[in-house]
Amino acid sequence: MTYNCDITKEGETMYVVRFPDMPNVMTFGFSRSHALEMAKEALEGVLEVDLDHALKIPEPKYKGGQSIEVSPKIAFAVELRKARATRSQREVAEASGMTYQQYQRLENPKKTNPTLETLYRLQKVFNRKFLAI
């Protein structure tokens, strides 16, 4: 999962980063590389908070600027949330043969660490592949 950002130099030593697909994410750095590091951190922080609060995650559509790849754990949690759509976590847990708590951890990027067996079960429940598995 990749979001693209725009980097603009402002002043002598400041690079400002904005994500057109995520208007609530903006950061800066004192060099281009520092700005990119800060961009990844800011983007992932906002995605984690949005997941925690069950907010809608915007699709990455903007193709210009510089691409920032999201960590696999965050990307998996986002994809799982999208696949679940209007079903409850409890419904998906039962359909995949796991406990509610086990499934809850999968949608939490700080705790997710699915096994291949878990991915296989989820692929059957959602009739789709996750992260090219």
Side-chain angles (χ1 to χ4, degrees), residues 103-118:
Y103 183 81
Q104 266 187 319
R105 282 193 300 272
L106 293 173
E107 283 192 18
N108 181 336
K110 292 177 185 161
K111 296 180 180 178
T112 193
N113 194 15
T115 64
L116 290 174
E117 180 63 30
T118 299

Side-chain angles (χ1 to χ4, degrees), residues 1-3 20-24 43 46-47 50 55-61 78 82:
M1 171 178 260
T2 302
Y3 283 86
D21 293 326
M22 302 281 292
N24 57 335
L43 175 64
V46 168
L47 288 170
D50 287 355
L55 299 175
K56 186 175 184 330
I57 307 292
E59 290 288 330
K61 294 178 182 172
V78 168
K82 286 181 199 173

Side-chain angles (χ1 to χ4, degrees), residues 7-110:
I7 303 173
T8 54
K9 187 172 183 179
E10 295 187 13
E12 290 294 314
T13 60
M14 188 182 310
Y15 293 80
V16 176
V17 181
R18 292 177 179 87
F19 289 85
D21 293 326
M22 302 281 292
N24 57 335
V25 182
M26 184 175 120
T27 189
F28 72 95
F30 296 110
S31 68
R32 186 173 173 80
S33 63
H34 181 239
L36 288 171
E37 288 174 30
M38 298 304 292
K40 182 173 176 66
E41 187 175 314
L43 175 64
E44 290 184 350
V46 168
L47 288 170
E48 283 186 26
V49 168
D50 287 355
L51 282 166
D52 285 346
H53 293 279
L55 299 175
K56 186 175 184 330
I57 307 292
E59 290 288 330
K61 294 178 182 172
Y62 178 64
K63 300 298 182 199
Q66 176 74 42
S67 63
I68 304 291
E69 188 172 345
V70 175
S71 87
K73 287 186 173 201
I74 293 173
F76 178 71
V78 168
E79 289 301 314
L80 199 54
R81 171 78 58 78
K82 286 181 199 173
R84 184 169 56 85
T86 59
R87 295 166 80 177
S88 73
Q89 289 181 334
R90 192 168 306 280
E91 286 177 89
V92 174
E94 289 173 7
S96 59
M98 62 181 81
T99 67
Y100 172 66
Q101 290 80 7
Q102 287 172 314
Y103 183 81
Q104 266 187 319
R105 282 193 300 272
L106 293 173
E107 283 192 18
N108 181 336
K110 292 177 185 161

